[in-house]
Amino acid sequence: MERNSPGGTGPVHVPLGHIVANEKWRGSQLAQELQGKVKLMFEEGLPWADFYLSSRSCILYVTEADLVAGHGYRKRLVRVRNSGHLQGIVIVEKTQISEQYFSAVQKFTVLDLGMVLLPVANQLEASCLITQLVQEQTREPSRNPFLRRKRCVLSELSLVQTVQQIPGVGKVKAPLLLQKFPTIQQLSNASIQELQEVVGQAVAQQIHTFFTQPR
Amino acid sequence: HPTTSLPHEGNRACILVDSREITSGLEVISSLRTVHGLQVEVCPLNGCDYIVSNRMVVERRSQAEMLNNGSKNKFIEQIQRLQGMFQRICVIVEKDREKTGDISRMFRRTKCYDSLLTALVGAGIRILFSSGQEETADLLKELSLVERRKNVGIHVPAVLSPSKCEALQFYLSIPGISYITALNMCHRMSSVKKMANSSPEEISACAEVTHQKAEEIYRYIRCTFDIQMLP
């Protein structure tokens, strides 16, 4: 495997389906839980992150103790944010003790830094969440319902509905108007005389006023 | 030029709230008004909970709903719908109000919950967590302030004259148009005819939408109707 640069600033190489974990997590409950579900590799001297899901995405784990200790954790977050090539996902232990600090952490992480923040109650929950994150990263993007290409809606139906919003035009007149003026643009430019060939004088006037009156 | 700039509605940030939220999020609305002093406009947003800027919508969801596999598809469909209209989406996951002595409502994390969260993260949708309606209001205020700093704040009045109302309904029927985009068009296009003859650049400037969205609108206005295609 490719060695990481000694300064710890180079990209970390992560084989597909693996997680590279910071050496400090060896033997922890989180690491043990993860080992049953994903392939875990430990590395020493990883710069700021706790886990690397890929060479572009990492997890910063903020413990209950980190939160109580003060703002020390913020420096790590800022470093990852400023690295430019890494997406940092912050997992924070939100417990009865650390709950009071959560709101400040969230504002800093999500609103100030624009990073992702996910709360967990303990290391067991974190292991399930990290496993899910690995699955999300390794599967086809089209499997994500929020990345799926949207279906094309037939524009004919919406065109009729749009024309029906014009005062005086209902279900019957809308398709008639569109047959004579097949685009909204053409309809908007129609003169009263042209409109009268499809609808009565009063409605022709109404349509013309709708399009031309200054608002 | 079509962009007649309007006088700013004071210095207060403006948030549009869906009228449905009056029943489900009354405390959010009153907190926004009284605690944070925001300009809150209740409008029929047709299922978009909060619009905090020209490009961002916020969906407020109870944690219980996110945990429950039964409401998963409904949630996915709703987010997909919002994706068709807004450039940025934020989901606020709000903790449910606890009833004293109700143990069944205790938070138990589910796989469904984790998979929804990670799918949202994968699609670049922001997630915020709230302990209740008051905190949700605070988060909404922060979001609207961040958006204002990025120059995409809401600067048009939500109250309309009857003739503008007619135009609003017309603009709203264009597929993929959000309420705020329609509102911007109402205020900044001198007439509906003018809008129908605008270039994508003019649409983008008036409606405050991305160039891609402006192109979509432009194509729709010029899309030829074929009666044969009507179902």
Side-chain angles (χ1 to χ4, degrees):
Chain A
M1 205 192 93
E2 200 182 313
R3 276 310 306 169
N4 301 310
S5 55
T9 47
V12 175
H13 176 76
V14 186
L16 194 69
H18 285 63
I19 293 184
V20 172
N22 196 311
E23 181 63 33
K24 74 176 185 196
W25 285 96
R26 196 187 283 278
S28 64
Q29 190 205 354
L30 175 51
Q32 282 169 11
E33 292 290 340
L34 281 173
Q35 256 154 349
K37 298 163 194 153
V38 292
K39 292 168 196 134
L40 209 55
M41 294 162 58
F42 289 98
E43 259 196 60
E44 267 182 86
L46 287 179
W48 313 292
D50 295 286
F51 301 94
Y52 283 82
L53 303 176
S54 72
S55 54
R56 280 176 294 103
S57 149
C58 67
I59 289 171
L60 292 141
Y61 195 93
V62 180
T63 62
E64 183 185 57
D66 289 336
L67 286 183
V68 177
H71 288 170
Y73 67 89
R74 294 189 173 195
K75 202 175 271 177
R76 280 200 301 150
L77 268 54
V78 172
R79 290 238 171 92
V80 169
R81 215 286 298 258
N82 293 344
S83 70
H85 60 87
L86 263 182
Q87 187 212 14
I89 297 171
V90 182
I91 294 185
V92 53
E93 279 181 4
K94 186 184 176 190
T95 61
Q96 272 187 328
I97 296 162
S98 67
E99 206 168 4
Q100 53 184 312
Y101 306 100
F102 179 77
S103 163
V105 181
Q106 175 162 266
K107 276 187 188 172
F108 180 71
T109 313
V110 185
L111 298 169
D112 296 344
L113 299 182
M115 292 166 86
V116 175
L117 176 92
L118 300 167
V120 294
N122 49 46
Q123 294 195 12
L124 180 63
E125 280 194 10
S127 74
C128 296
L129 183 61
I130 293 174
T131 311
Q132 194 65 46
L133 281 164
V134 175
Q135 277 175 18
E136 177 61 38
Q137 292 222 332
T138 46
R139 71 180 181 170
E140 283 286 308
S142 60
R143 295 280 307 279
N144 181 329
F146 308 121
L147 291 173
R148 215 168 278 155
R149 299 290 300 157
K150 50 190 169 189
R151 288 158 290 144
C152 247
V153 195
L154 205 60
S155 57
E156 264 68 19
L157 206 58
S158 12
L159 280 173
V160 172
Q161 278 160 3
T162 299
V163 173
Q164 276 186 50
Q165 299 307 316
I166 303 170
V169 182
K171 270 189 192 138
V172 181
K173 289 190 184 110
L176 291 176
L177 283 164
L178 278 165
Q179 272 186 292
K180 170 97 172 146
F181 311 98
T183 73
I184 302 283
Q185 191 200 14
Q186 284 173 42
L187 182 60
S188 78
N189 293 325
S191 67
I192 297 181
Q193 287 73 28
E194 289 172 316
L195 289 166
Q196 273 184 13
E197 290 166 29
V198 188
V199 293
Q201 193 195 339
V203 176
Q205 180 65 55
Q206 256 184 308
I207 297 172
H208 191 259
T209 310
F210 171 78
F211 279 115
T212 53
Q213 91 175 275
R215 286 167 203 274
Chain B
H1 197 72
T3 46
T4 44
S5 65
L6 281 136
H8 289 194
E9 280 278 293
N11 265 330
R12 293 191 300 163
C14 174
I15 291 186
L16 305 185
V17 180
D18 190 22
S19 26
R20 280 184 331 176
E21 288 290 293
I22 293 176
T23 46
S24 62
L26 197 58
E27 221 180 306
V28 180
I29 299 176
S30 58
S31 282
L32 281 172
R33 279 206 182 119
T34 56
V35 183
H36 304 294
L38 257 64
Q39 188 194 335
V40 180
E41 299 287 354
V42 179
C43 309
L45 300 183
N46 192 18
C48 308
D49 294 346
Y50 298 88
I51 299 179
V52 295
S53 74
N54 285 321
R55 61 176 185 184
M56 189 190 254
V57 66
V58 180
E59 173 79 3
R60 172 174 158 258
R61 277 281 148 159
S62 85
Q63 197 174 44
E65 274 182 286
M66 299 276 290
L67 286 163
N68 178 1
N69 211 7
S71 46
K72 188 176 178 177
N73 284 341
K74 211 177 88 192
F75 176 72
I76 291 173
E77 275 168 32
Q78 169 64 358
I79 297 295
Q80 287 172 335
R81 202 171 74 85
L82 297 177
Q83 284 180 309
M85 292 190 274
F86 292 91
Q87 204 187 332
R88 298 201 180 191
I89 300 171
C90 178
V91 177
I92 296 183
V93 182
E94 189 181 278
K95 210 171 151 189
D96 303 82
R97 202 167 292 179
E98 274 166 40
K99 290 180 197 132
T100 39
D102 191 359
I103 313 166
S104 63
R105 273 179 159 263
M106 266 231 321
F107 175 73
R108 192 170 291 137
R109 209 177 176 100
T110 59
K111 184 157 167 77
C112 163
Y113 182 73
D114 280 346
S115 72
L116 274 182
L117 290 185
T118 54
L120 289 169
V121 170
I125 294 165
R126 277 166 190 237
I127 313 165
L128 289 167
F129 297 87
S130 157
S131 58
Q133 297 202 10
E134 263 178 56
E135 193 177 353
T136 299
D138 182 46
L139 292 170
L140 284 166
K141 178 203 70 176
E142 294 289 339
L143 281 170
S144 76
L145 290 179
V146 170
E147 289 289 278
R148 245 162 91 97
R149 281 201 293 275
K150 292 179 182 167
N151 273 325
V152 286
I154 296 172
H155 288 305
V156 293
V159 187
L160 295 169
S161 63
S163 88
K164 275 205 172 99
C165 260
E166 288 173 353
L168 181 77
Q169 291 311 317
F170 181 83
Y171 293 144
L172 279 174
S173 74
I174 300 174
I177 275 209
S178 69
Y179 195 88
I180 184 63
T181 301
L183 209 55
N184 282 329
M185 281 183 166
C186 269
H187 286 293
R188 300 202 172 135
M189 287 285 183
S190 50
S191 69
V192 181
K193 181 176 173 173
K194 171 77 191 128
M195 185 267 157
N197 289 288
S198 291
S199 67
E201 288 73 25
E202 288 168 319
I203 295 176
S204 167
C206 279
E208 306 237 22
V209 288
T210 59
H211 195 78
Q212 193 195 343
K213 178 58 82 182
E215 287 272 4
E216 258 175 59
I217 298 168
Y218 178 85
R219 278 199 300 272
Y220 180 73
I221 297 297
R222 281 163 181 75
C223 145
T224 309
F225 178 78
D226 179 0
I227 190 96
Q228 308 283 316
M229 297 294 282
L230 212 57

